[in-house]
């Protein structure tokens, strides 16, 4: 028996040692990997800047995921600001002779593609070429690629050019069938985030706003595609309605592509453009590597800080998304940093917690008292995302930004019928009249509903109050365009919800000008990118491991819906949040 326990103990010790050695080896691999990534990149003569499938365009450093769960991810994440700067630099770089767009499925948001497209359009003024090649091309990738001088398609390829549509999923019958009760309190007939729990179809108000929004965005994008490809507007509509891009020969016939060739032939075509010989190597450099090839020279000590606010807004402390405790810390640091002369708040958020949004807005208002604060909108600046912009001296939006959604709601699920059907009942002992105003089994008491309704109405009035102050309009004017309605950036400019249509770069230039800075200043990003080690130890958190495993299995969008239903903290909050996201897939 003694020898048995010795053997068991020896095996346990051996396993522990192996785990320690493996972990140490894993850490060392990351160290060497990060050391290797710091090597300088040489840009050779006759190089072609390439936007390919391994390029992920992200809006904020907090969107970068480099931990344990992404160790095999070979894609290069590039900040949209860095991508634009790289294209601008390539315009005057003698070693860069042109741009090749080779992304069948582009990982970027709609406003990011707009900015890339604008930068490439400007790049073409240099006289350098821009070519694009595709196999099975998504609509978003074609939107970018259509800016090229020439678009080449694989002979067995396709272009998924189809227009925009949205599909809304409804849960009312499902909830009724399985005995799940959902108490909904909202302000605003357009606050459609709660409709899936109340109806089985799209309300007239929601259909109106979705139709307007989709048509605004499609008008912007389709006009640019048709103009670049020199296709008549009526003909282009026929091409899209008929899905001609699905058939390569039809795509060629209707001017979506200039020639059907294989990828090897495409590379040879570029070599010929560069006057290279057959034995010469074609030097392609990815957007990410090109950015690594140069560094900021640090023109002066003065800085314009870009504070990225990307993702949902939450209470507490966290890195990914927007957490109030963390962002209050960032804002105070920027407020006290004498080298930071102005701040640009880059918002890419559908909103979230009303309380967290209010905390962040207050701190931004304090920051504004000390230095210029300019806001730039990305793909989304809705509900809480729009709310925190109300401290700005000036607001820039992209034409396709989903903007506004000035509205408030609360969703409280309960399971009384489901529990009763399965023989589960509860009884309550309490000290006060409303000690148990909410129960997951019995729902919300009538008095609880009335108080939550008052809270929602009070939060909405507070929301509109700050909007009236910033936009210099009356309560009635803002209320008439509020009610939870989402607008495109183009419409938001027309109705006064934003000041200018422009990019992040435009906002940075204005902030520098307002701060009295000349051409020599640095642009610093906040929050700083999390290191590989920090991301690893963050991943080791039990909740993070569970969340990332579930997210990887069911997808990010489905995970967010699940989290809304199952996370008790989220259930108890009054929300300022947009109901959906729009992608040009």
């Amino acid at each position: 028996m003694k020898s048995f326990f010795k053997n068991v103990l020896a095996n346990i010790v051996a396993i522990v040692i192996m785990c320690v050695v493996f972990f140490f080896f894993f850490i060392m691999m990351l160290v060497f990997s990060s050391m290797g990534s710091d090597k300088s990149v040489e840009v050779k003569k006759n190089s072609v800047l390439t936007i390919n499938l391994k390029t992920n365009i992200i809006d904020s450093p907090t969107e970068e995921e480099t931990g344990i769960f992404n160790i095999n991810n070979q894609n290069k994440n590039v900040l949209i600001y860095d991508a634009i700067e790289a294209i601008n630099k390539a315009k005057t770089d003698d070693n860069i002779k042109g741009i090749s767009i080779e992304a069948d499925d582009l990982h970027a948001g709609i406003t990011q593609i707009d900015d890339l497209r604008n930068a490439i359009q400007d790049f073409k003024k240099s006289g350098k070429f821009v070519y694009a090649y595709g196999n099975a091309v998504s609509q978003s990738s074609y939107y970018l690629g259509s800016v090229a001088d020439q678009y080449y398609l694989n002979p067995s390829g396709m272009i998924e050019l189809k227009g925009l549509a949205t599909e809304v999923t409804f849960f009312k019958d499902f909830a009724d069938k399985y005995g799940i009760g959902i108490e909904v309190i909202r302000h605003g007939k357009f606050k459609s985030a709660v409709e899936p729990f109340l109806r089985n179809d799209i309300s007239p108000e929601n259909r109106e706003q979705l139709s307007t929004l989709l048509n605004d965005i499609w008008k912007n994008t389709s006009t640019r595609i048709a103009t670049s490809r020199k296709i008549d507007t009526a003909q282009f509509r026929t091409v899209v309605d008929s899905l001609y891009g699905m058939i390569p020969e039809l795509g060629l016939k209707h001017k979506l592509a200039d020639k059907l060739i294989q990828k090897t032939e495409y590379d040879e075509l570029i070599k010929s453009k560069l006057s290279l010989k057959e034995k010469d190597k074609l030097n392609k450099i990815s957007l990410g590597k090109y950015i690594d090839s140069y560094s900021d020279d640090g023109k002066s000590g003065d800085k314009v800080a870009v504070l990225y606010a990307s993702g949902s807004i939450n209470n507490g402390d966290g890195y990914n998304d927007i957490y109030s405790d963390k962002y209050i810390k960032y804002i105070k640091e920027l407020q006290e940093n004498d080298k930071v002369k102005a701040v640009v708040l880059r918002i890419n958020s559908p909103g979230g917690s009303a309380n967290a949004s209010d905390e962040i807005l207050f701190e931004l208002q304090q920051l504004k008292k000390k230095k210029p604060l300019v806001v730039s909108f990305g793909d989304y600046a809705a509900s809480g995302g729009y709310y925190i912009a109300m401290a700005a001296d000036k607001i820039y939006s992209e034409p396709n930004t989903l903007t506004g959604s000035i509205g408030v709601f609360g969703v409280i699920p309960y399971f009384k019928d489901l529990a009763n059907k399965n023989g589960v009942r509860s009884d309550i002992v309490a000290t006060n009249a409303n000690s148990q105003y909410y129960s997951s089994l019995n729902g919300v008491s009538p008095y609880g509903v009335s108080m939550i309704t008052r809270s929602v109405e009070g939060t909405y009035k507070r929301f509109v109050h700050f909007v009236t102050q910033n936009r210099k309009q009356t309560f009635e004017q803002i209320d008439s365009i509020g009610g939870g309605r989402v607008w495109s950036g183009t419409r938001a400019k027309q109705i006064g919800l934003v000041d200018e249509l422009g990019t992040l770069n435009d906002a940075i230039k204005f902030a520098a000008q307002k701060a009295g800075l000349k051409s020599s200043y640095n642009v610093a990003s906040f929050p700083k990118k999390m290191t590989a080690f920090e991301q690893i130890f963050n991943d080791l958190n039990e909740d993070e491991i569970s969340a990332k495993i579930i997210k990887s299995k069911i997808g990010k969008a489905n995970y967010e819906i699940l989290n809304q239903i199952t996370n008790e903290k989220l259930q108890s909050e009054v929300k300022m949040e947009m109901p959906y996201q729009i992608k040009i897939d």
Side-chain angles (χ1 to χ4, degrees), residues 94 119 145 171 244 309 323 485 515 535:
D94 292 337
F171 303 100
Y244 284 156
Y323 287 86
R485 181 161 185 171
Q535 188 70 53

Side-chain angles (χ1 to χ4, degrees), residues 139 161 163-164 214-222 236 240:
Q139 187 162 252
L161 192 59
L164 297 181
L214 290 174
N215 277 290
D216 280 351
I217 295 174
W218 183 242
K219 181 180 179 181
N220 289 334
T221 55
S222 63
F236 184 76
V240 175

Side-chain angles (χ1 to χ4, degrees), residues 359-430:
E359 286 187 289
I360 292 171
L361 174 61
F362 175 79
E363 296 301 332
L364 289 169
Q365 289 171 331
Q366 308 315 302
L367 172 66
K368 179 185 174 183
K369 293 176 182 178
K370 289 196 171 184
K371 52 193 72 176
L373 175 64
V374 180
V375 166
S376 167
F377 289 164
D379 286 348
Y380 309 97
S383 289
Y386 185 75
Y387 187 85
I388 63 175
M390 293 303 99
D393 291 303
K394 192 169 188 176
I395 299 175
Y396 285 83
S397 175
E398 305 267 3
N400 290 331
T401 299
L402 273 66
T403 311
S405 190
I406 302 168
V408 185
F409 71 92
V411 177
I412 308 169
Y414 59 94
F415 309 95
K416 181 176 181 179
D417 291 343
L418 176 63
N420 290 346
K421 287 177 183 177
N422 291 277
V424 178
R425 287 173 173 76
S426 68
D427 207 348
I428 298 169
V429 178

Side-chain angles (χ1 to χ4, degrees), residues 17 103 157 175 221 224 231 265 330 348 396 491 547:
I17 292 173
T221 55
R224 299 185 76 185
I231 305 174
E265 295 175 297
Y330 296 150
N348 192 23
Y396 285 83
R491 298 261 179 175

Side-chain angles (χ1 to χ4, degrees), residues 515-532:
L517 299 178
K518 297 181 180 179
S519 58
S520 57
Y521 59 86
N522 285 326
V523 177
S525 298
F526 295 86
K528 297 298 183 184
K529 176 183 173 182
M530 189 180 286
T531 67

Side-chain angles (χ1 to χ4, degrees), residues 23 26-27 30 60-71 77 318-321 528-541 544-545 548 551:
F23 185 75
F26 179 74
I27 295 295
L30 281 176
S60 162
T62 61
E63 294 176 33
E64 182 115 47
E65 294 188 356
T66 55
I68 294 172
F69 294 94
N70 297 279
I71 196 67
N77 291 318
Y319 179 73
N320 301 110
D321 292 322
K528 297 298 183 184
K529 176 183 173 182
M530 189 180 286
T531 67
F533 291 110
E534 289 171 330
Q535 188 70 53
I536 287 169
F537 287 112
N538 184 62
D539 282 350
L540 291 176
N541 176 281
E544 286 291 331
I545 291 173
K548 291 192 176 184
K551 192 184 296 185

